[in-house]
């Protein structure tokens, strides 16, 4: 459009710095309100929270990660931590001098004000480091202890938290399993079983896979039944076991555990110790929704600084806790005039979001999505049977 650049870099930095301060201020106010609300429904200042980590880029080389903790009762964010590894600070990374002595110490003191590094370590350890910081400051920040931790089995975060004992030797954190991830593990282990026995002939002379056997669509269905058995009986471990055995055909009188692992460190998927951690049917779904909102404001496809990631995390936290109406508060802190159109637009956005959420939670909507997934899985299996597999990692290596 033959227009000049909107602002110079210095002006852009000034705006960004103010935006960062405002977002942090609004976010911290939102966190405090959420903590008071969560504490009112939990006795003795001991809370159940769900925690999760998310990274700016996929894989184990991300330079930016975000850790979040959400209250189990209110479903609101209680704290967040944005981490940036050493190599992401360009000035730290490009420093060519000797990293010790008077000259280096002088440079480091001057650089500390603008340094974008707040974490040294591998990307894989970001989640633990962020969670430990969050747990360590919970008493100072909210006068609360996060007593029960809802987490998945994808990382060692809970084990490391337990070893570090953020609340001392007298207060140990209890693990609660995310039902969604437990259900997912069921499917993962069945697929691994299918892979291990894919070329072995069973007693009837056929392999474990194939038409009418243990197909991917059947695995999806079994995993769905397994998850439902836990959710529908979330107040009793025995009832969970009965429901799980009812779908698998295994009972106390006639147990069917031929393919169960013999390793003593591996749990059966109907073991009481595992199912006990699934009581009340807790999930990390809210954390996943929050992660999605963070990266909506700061897309993974575009590179960004730590400051931009922090702005996105704080904005997402505020909107997640207080809906889009919180944007009015942010605009007011910039001394911008708020007219009727802004208020109506934000209110309509919240109404649409709530309506969509309610629709997706309907049983009919859930079943429709599941049926669509199973149909797609069956179509893929049919195509593979007709034309064979043309791609499989490492399958055609010579």
């Amino acid at each position: 459009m033959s227009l000049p650049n909107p602002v110079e870099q210095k002006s852009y930095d000034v705006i960004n710095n103010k935006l960062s301060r405002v977002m942090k201020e609004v976010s911290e106010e939102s966190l405090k309100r959420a903590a008071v609300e969560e504490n009112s429904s939990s006795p003795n200042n001991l809370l159940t929270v769900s925690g999760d980590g998310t990274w700016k880029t996929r894989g184990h080389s991300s330079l930016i990660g975000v850790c979040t903790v959400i209250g189990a009762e209110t479903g609101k964010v209680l704290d967040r931590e944005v981490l940036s590894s050493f190599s992401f600070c360009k000035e730290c990374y490009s420093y060519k001098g000797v990293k010790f002595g008077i000259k280096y110490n002088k440079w480091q003191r001057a650089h500390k004000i603008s340094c974008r590094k707040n974490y040294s370590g591998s990307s894989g350890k970001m989640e633990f480091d962020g969670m430990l910081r969050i747990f360590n400051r919970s008493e100072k920040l909210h006068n609360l202890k996060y007593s029960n931790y809802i987490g998945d089995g994808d990382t060692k975060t809970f084990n490391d938290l337990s070893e570090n004992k953020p609340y001392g030797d007298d207060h140990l954190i209890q693990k609660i399993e995310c039902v969604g991830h437990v259900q997912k593990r069921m499917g993962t282990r069945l697929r691994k079983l299918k892979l291990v026995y894919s070329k072995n002939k069973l007693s009837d002379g056929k392999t474990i896979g194939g038409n009418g056997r243990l197909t991917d669509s059947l695995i999806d269905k079994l995993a769905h039944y397994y998850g439902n058995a836990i959710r529908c009986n979330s107040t009793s471990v025995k009832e969970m076991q009965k429901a799980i055995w009812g779908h698998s055909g295994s009972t106390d009188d006639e147990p069917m555990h031929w393919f169960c692992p013999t390793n003593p460190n591996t749990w059966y998927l109907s073991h009481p110790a595992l199912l006990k951690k699934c009581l009340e049917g807790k999930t990390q779904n809210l954390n996943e929704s929050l992660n999605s909102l963070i990266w909506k404001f700061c897309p993974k496809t575009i590179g960004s600084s730590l400051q931009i990631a922090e702005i996105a995390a704080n904005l997402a936290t505020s909107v997640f806790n207080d809906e889009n109406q919180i944007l009015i508060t942010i605009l007011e802190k910039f001394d911008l005039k708020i007219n009727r159109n802004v208020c109506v637009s934000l209110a309509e956005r919240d109404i649409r979001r709530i309506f969509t959420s309610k629709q997706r939670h309907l049983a009919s909507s859930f079943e429709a999505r599941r049926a669509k997934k199973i149909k797609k899985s069956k179509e893929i299996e049919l195509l593979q049977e007709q034309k064979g597999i043309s791609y499989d990692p490492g399958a055609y290596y010579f």
Side-chain angles (χ1 to χ4, degrees):
M1 296 175 66
S2 299
L3 295 174
N5 292 331
V7 291
E8 294 292 329
Q9 185 64 44
K10 288 185 179 179
S11 300
Y12 175 79
D13 290 340
V14 169
I15 295 169
N16 252 6
N17 291 337
K18 183 174 182 180
L19 185 62
S20 179
R21 289 194 301 271
V22 168
M23 289 299 179
K24 185 177 181 180
E25 180 183 333
V26 173
S27 174
E28 289 178 349
E29 291 171 357
S30 177
L31 295 177
K32 289 178 182 178
R33 290 194 297 270
V36 171
E37 189 178 343
E38 184 73 24
N39 189 34
S40 65
S41 58
S42 303
N44 304 322
N45 294 354
L46 303 177
L47 306 187
T48 296
V49 298
S50 62
D52 194 26
T54 180
W55 288 263
K56 183 72 170 69
T57 56
R58 296 181 184 275
H60 300 285
S61 60
S62 181
L63 300 177
I64 291 180
V66 183
C67 296
T68 58
V69 162
I70 295 178
E73 298 300 323
T74 62
K76 292 187 176 182
V77 188
L78 302 178
D79 205 353
R80 75 279 173 263
E81 181 75 13
V82 184
L83 301 172
S84 173
S85 68
F86 175 84
S87 59
F88 195 70
C89 180
K90 292 181 179 179
E91 292 182 56
C92 286
Y93 187 70
S94 59
Y95 184 83
K96 301 298 183 183
V98 178
K99 296 184 179 180
F100 61 85
I102 298 174
K103 184 179 178 181
Y104 176 70
N105 291 337
K106 184 179 179 180
W107 174 86
Q108 199 173 41
R109 284 195 297 270
H111 170 64
K112 189 175 181 180
I113 301 171
S114 60
C115 185
R116 295 302 179 189
K117 167 183 71 82
N118 63 2
Y119 169 77
S120 296
S122 65
S123 297
K125 292 286 287 181
M126 274 186 178
E127 182 173 337
F128 159 66
D129 194 81
M131 284 300 168
L132 185 59
R133 294 183 192 185
I134 289 173
F135 273 69
N136 280 336
R137 67 181 179 228
S138 68
E139 291 182 280
K140 182 179 179 180
L141 186 65
H142 299 312
N143 192 29
L144 299 171
K145 292 179 180 177
Y146 305 145
S147 183
N148 300 310
Y149 180 79
I150 305 168
D152 54 40
D154 297 344
T155 66
K156 291 174 58 184
T157 300
F158 173 73
N159 294 337
D160 292 339
L161 274 176
S162 299
E163 290 175 6
N164 279 268
K165 300 178 181 177
Y167 304 125
D169 294 333
D170 297 331
H171 188 89
L172 301 179
I173 303 168
Q174 302 298 318
K175 173 72 178 294
I176 297 177
E177 291 285 349
C178 167
V179 176
H181 283 86
V182 171
Q183 175 180 329
K184 184 179 177 181
R185 291 207 295 270
M186 168 69 159
T188 300
R189 294 183 183 185
L190 284 175
R191 287 185 178 86
K192 186 176 180 179
L193 176 73
K194 179 184 174 184
L195 181 64
V196 170
Y197 289 91
S198 60
K199 296 181 180 179
N200 293 4
K201 298 289 186 179
L202 301 183
S203 58
D204 59 0
K206 298 180 180 179
T207 60
I208 194 171
N211 188 29
R213 315 285 285 184
L214 189 61
T215 60
D216 287 341
S217 57
L218 178 60
I219 290 173
D220 290 338
K221 191 177 290 186
L222 288 171
H224 170 72
Y225 289 151
Y226 177 70
N228 268 3
I230 294 174
R231 293 185 184 93
C232 295
N233 300 277
S234 60
T235 58
S236 169
V237 171
K238 285 192 175 182
E239 292 302 318
M240 284 186 200
Q241 283 185 312
K242 286 180 182 179
I244 292 169
W245 288 343
H247 284 301
S248 67
S250 177
T251 64
D252 281 328
D253 297 329
E254 193 176 345
M256 299 181 185
H257 301 305
W258 304 298
F259 291 119
C260 288
T262 56
N263 186 341
N265 295 320
T266 306
W267 289 358
Y268 295 102
L269 288 168
S270 61
H271 196 288
L274 172 62
L275 298 183
K276 187 178 179 181
K277 295 183 179 182
C278 296
L279 289 172
E280 298 184 27
K282 302 295 186 180
T283 72
Q284 286 182 301
N285 292 348
L286 290 174
N287 293 86
E288 300 292 347
S289 296
L290 176 60
N291 294 345
S292 176
L293 188 58
I294 292 171
W295 303 126
K296 178 182 178 182
F297 294 135
C298 180
K300 293 189 175 187
T301 53
I302 302 173
S304 66
S305 65
L306 171 64
Q307 186 181 50
I308 297 299
E310 287 176 336
I311 290 172
N314 287 326
L315 176 58
T317 295
S318 301
V319 172
F320 195 88
N321 282 357
D322 303 302
E323 302 183 338
N324 287 286
Q325 299 291 321
I326 197 67
L327 296 177
I328 295 175
T329 302
I330 294 172
L331 294 173
E332 287 175 341
K333 286 184 179 290
F334 279 94
D335 298 323
L336 297 174
K337 292 183 179 180
I338 311 299
N339 60 29
R340 182 178 178 277
N341 291 333
V342 174
C343 297
V344 170
S345 175
L346 293 176
E348 288 178 347
R349 191 183 299 181
D350 285 330
I351 291 170
R352 286 197 301 271
R353 181 186 60 79
I354 293 170
F355 176 78
T356 303
S357 178
K358 287 181 177 179
Q359 289 295 113
R360 287 183 63 83
H361 277 81
L362 292 175
S364 57
S365 176
F366 179 78
E367 289 299 325
R369 292 197 303 273
R370 190 175 71 85
K372 184 178 180 180
K373 183 179 178 181
I374 292 174
K375 181 182 177 183
K376 184 177 180 181
S377 180
K378 286 181 177 179
E379 289 174 351
I380 292 172
E381 287 175 358
L382 182 61
L383 289 172
Q384 288 178 347
E385 287 179 9
Q386 291 175 347
K387 300 185 178 181
I389 298 175
S390 58
Y391 176 84
D392 199 27
Y396 302 101
Y397 176 76
F398 294 99

